[in-house]
Amino acid sequence: MTLSTGTQVKTYLNYINGKWVSASSNEIAPSVNPANKNEVVGYVQRSSKEDLDLAVEAAKKAQIQWRKLSGAARGEYLYKVANVLEQRLDDIAKTMTEEMGKTFPEAKGETARGIAILRYYAGEGMRKVGDVIPSTDSEALMFTTRVPLGVVGLITPWNFPVAIPIWKMAPALVYGNTVVIKPALETSVTAAKMVECFAEAGLPTGVLNFVTGSGSVIGQGIIDHPDISGISFTGSDQVGKQVAQGAVARGAKYQLEMGGKNPVFVADDADLEQAVDATISGGLRSTGQKCTATSRVIVQSGVYDEFKSKLLAKVREIKVGHGLHAESWMGPCASENQLETVLSYIEKGMAEGATLLHGGKRAEGEGLENGYFVEPTVFEDVYSNMIIAQEEIFGPVLALIKVDTIEQALEIANDVQYGLSASIFTQNIGNMLSFINEMDAGLVRINAESAGVELQAPFGGLKQSSSGSREQGQAAIEFFTAIKTVFVKA
Ligand code: NAP
Ligand code: MG
């Protein structure tokens, strides 16, 4: 299982029908460290349609017994997975940092989040799943219960390689579905290590199947597979639309969580220290690669200059570097592709006439030569019709937009196709209520960064950010089950 490239680099396998197996093509793909492109973190399988078919067949077979278990019994497995993941937290977080670039504390935080999500859904296995509804027949009993969809296909992105797969897998499994998951190719080593925790916890054969490979082959294969009853997707808008079209064409249930262009509004009466810290944390942590990352910073004119100078003072302090180095606050972009996208948006911003206040280029310095590092970047003189104010950049780029009133702020904040997350910083209850009522976003946050979510609350966007269903919390039951209405008469 090891390939030699100087040092020993491990090759990770697919997990199908309870066994770790190579792809039928025998092809593998390297996973590269974005902080040092010369370092291969591991190799993963480049699977083909045949491997996916085997995984779906195994999941279909396993579903017959899995759905018969009680929710509590299925939850017991999730508690075991959580315990294994907890034991392996540091190792998996380190791999995540090496494979995707986010800093080690962030990777540990994400892995800990995965553990908490597993425990939360383990408990959900014992909660109520239906209602008793009075029948017009006084001698009958009428109630609802929930049934699993069957085999579900999960397609996940690279930016949260542990938390996003788990927030789909845990509810899928506890509600009685069996799973085929295809993680982003770029973070499949981290995903493989996470799946090892499920295997080690003794999940029954075939209940969880893991197939790595390209989106166009394995992702598309999940979209088209007649035995996959539901598809849960997180990723880009373009691919999300393909998932929806394919699912509608064959009558499968689908769920999409996609991009964002998340605003914060800093009102004249805001606590500026709080607003600055939340803008930096929300916009630049994880190198801006969160779907809920702050991108547009709308600031009321009375505090604009003061906010700007406080923000710049702190952005200048940000230390860019390898995510495993304790002094690094911001790691690299997750891939070369991602770096190029970010740099091209920065160029577009300058070409459109925005003023560059900080950053704007690849980050240079000792130890950064071979990585996809970019400087934290701040623009001003940004207007809503500019590309950098409209399109998701998915990088550490903040666009300052000056307004006079909260009405203007709301108009600009809503003037995008997305509606994922939005924050306001103010002490005024009227401003808060206007923002809560009029902001088109699935997550509205008052005096808190745009990028914080809690696992026990519903998560998802409005407008083009989402297909409208919600993940996490108790909301997850809506996608991963169907309601059955039962009428009983003696
Ligand atoms: P992506 O390119 O859409 O990839 C997402 C997943 O889809 C990957 O597993 C990818 O496989 C797969 N895929 C690619 N082409 C496919 C196809 N033709 N058919 C089926 N599957 C296909 O997105 P990404 O670049 O990884 O992730 C960044 C995006 O995700 C951003 O837009 C971000 O906003 C969004 N995101 C949203 C949320 C949310 O909850 N709203 C959370 C995180 C990220 P490969 O690995 O082979 O490309
Ligand atoms: Mg991709």
Side-chain angles (χ1 to χ4, degrees):
M1 287 230 305
T2 46
L3 274 198
S4 190
T5 56
T7 56
Q8 286 213 315
V9 178
K10 198 174 161 190
T11 298
Y12 293 82
L13 301 175
N14 287 333
Y15 187 64
I16 298 175
N17 204 23
K19 294 199 177 62
W20 293 97
V21 291
S22 303
S24 52
S25 63
N26 274 317
E27 282 181 46
I28 54 173
S31 183
V32 170
N33 183 342
N36 175 7
K37 63 183 182 207
N38 301 321
E39 184 189 325
V40 174
V41 180
Y43 292 89
V44 296
Q45 304 301 307
R46 202 178 263 289
S47 310
S48 56
K49 180 76 174 34
E50 290 87 88
D51 306 304
L52 176 67
D53 287 344
L54 291 173
V56 177
E57 199 186 311
K60 195 177 170 188
K61 198 161 148 250
Q63 221 259 322
I64 298 166
Q65 293 305 322
W66 184 246
R67 67 181 293 160
K68 287 184 187 162
L69 294 182
S70 67
R74 290 191 295 256
E76 277 303 318
Y77 285 104
L78 297 187
Y79 281 124
K80 286 185 192 150
V81 180
N83 292 344
V84 179
L85 185 55
E86 195 163 46
Q87 281 157 19
R88 296 192 53 190
L89 190 149
D90 279 2
D91 171 57
I92 290 177
K94 179 168 174 279
T95 302
M96 190 193 302
T97 295
E98 288 167 344
E99 192 175 33
M100 157 309 144
K102 70 175 64 174
T103 63
F104 189 50
E106 287 182 281
K108 284 209 286 195
E110 181 185 336
T111 310
R113 174 63 64 102
I115 295 163
I117 294 169
L118 285 161
R119 293 193 172 130
Y120 174 84
Y121 283 108
E124 282 301 290
M126 293 186 76
R127 295 240 156 67
K128 85 175 184 102
V129 291
D131 300 303
V132 174
I133 298 148
S135 168
T136 52
D137 182 338
S138 61
E139 287 169 5
L141 169 65
M142 188 160 66
F143 64 94
T144 60
T145 185
R146 295 267 180 175
V147 289
L149 302 181
V151 178
V152 295
L154 311 179
I155 305 174
T156 54
W158 45 261
N159 65 336
F160 287 99
V162 166
I164 292 180
I166 288 181
W167 84 47
K168 296 182 191 296
M169 290 194 291
L173 293 171
V174 86
Y175 297 129
N177 303 279
T178 52
V179 167
V180 175
I181 178 165
K182 182 224 125 29
L185 194 57
E186 275 156 22
T187 50
S188 287
V189 171
T190 308
K193 288 190 166 192
M194 176 207 39
V195 169
E196 284 170 5
C197 299
F198 284 78
E200 230 175 275
L203 216 63
T205 301
V207 166
L208 172 64
N209 301 275
F210 168 75
V211 184
T212 58
S214 76
S216 55
V217 177
I218 305 306
Q220 189 65 44
I222 287 177
I223 298 174
D224 295 336
H225 205 295
D227 288 332
I228 292 180
S229 315
I231 306 164
S232 180
F233 169 87
T234 299
S236 62
D237 322 358
Q238 302 91 298
V239 178
K241 288 206 176 88
Q242 279 170 255
V243 172
Q245 281 165 356
V248 167
R250 66 177 184 81
K253 196 171 178 183
Y254 67 91
Q255 165 179 65
L256 315 173
E257 286 303 332
M258 299 169 288
K261 190 68 189 169
N262 312 298
V264 302
F265 173 51
V266 183
D268 277 345
D269 64 350
D271 174 335
L272 289 189
E273 298 295 335
Q274 181 187 51
V276 164
D277 288 347
T279 300
I280 288 176
S281 179
L284 306 176
R285 268 193 206 279
S286 261
T287 319
Q289 301 166 122
K290 295 184 185 178
C291 51
T292 50
T294 302
S295 171
R296 297 175 296 149
V297 187
I298 304 168
V299 186
Q300 205 166 356
S301 44
V303 289
Y304 184 88
D305 290 334
E306 193 184 347
F307 175 86
K308 177 174 108 178
S309 69
K310 283 185 189 309
L311 180 80
L312 286 172
K314 290 207 170 163
V315 170
R316 284 190 203 105
E317 299 289 301
I318 287 176
K319 186 95 182 62
V320 176
H322 194 300
L324 288 179
H325 297 167
E327 68 281 7
S328 302
W329 189 88
M330 195 176 98
C333 296
S335 65
E336 184 169 19
N337 212 346
Q338 205 56 37
L339 172 69
E340 275 165 12
T341 305
V342 172
L343 292 174
S344 80
Y345 274 113
I346 292 170
E347 270 171 37
K348 281 177 196 153
M350 295 198 281
E352 283 178 314
T355 306
L356 185 66
L357 294 175
H358 185 81
K361 19 182 229 328
R362 279 187 86 138
E364 287 164 5
E366 211 189 313
L368 304 184
E369 305 82 359
N370 294 315
Y372 306 127
F373 296 96
V374 66
E375 294 171 337
T377 295
V378 184
F379 279 110
E380 72 172 343
D381 301 322
V382 177
Y383 298 94
S384 197
N385 60 355
M386 292 180 178
I387 293 168
I388 59 164
Q390 289 292 325
E391 296 184 11
E392 183 182 53
I393 299 174
F394 229 53
V397 181
L398 296 170
L400 298 186
I401 301 172
K402 195 198 281 191
V403 296
D404 291 322
T405 65
I406 184 168
E407 288 76 23
Q408 281 173 347
L410 274 162
E411 193 184 325
I412 289 169
N414 282 328
D415 181 29
V416 289
Q417 59 167 329
Y418 296 109
L420 188 50
S421 179
S423 297
I424 183 171
F425 294 88
T426 182
Q427 304 301 319
N428 178 300
I429 185 82
N431 284 346
M432 291 178 193
L433 290 175
S434 300
F435 199 77
I436 292 167
N437 290 331
E438 289 164 48
M439 185 65 226
D440 294 332
L443 307 157
V444 173
R445 299 174 53 82
I446 313 298
N447 294 325
E449 68 169 76
S450 69
V453 300
E454 297 201 30
L455 63 100
Q456 70 278 27
F459 174 78
L462 301 182
K463 302 193 334 195
Q464 298 295 310
S465 290
S466 163
S467 60
S469 70
R470 289 290 178 265
E471 301 194 85
Q472 305 196 57
Q474 294 192 319
I477 198 172
E478 300 301 334
F479 180 75
F480 287 110
T481 66
I483 293 175
K484 187 181 271 184
T485 303
V486 183
F487 181 88
V488 186
K489 173 118 176 148

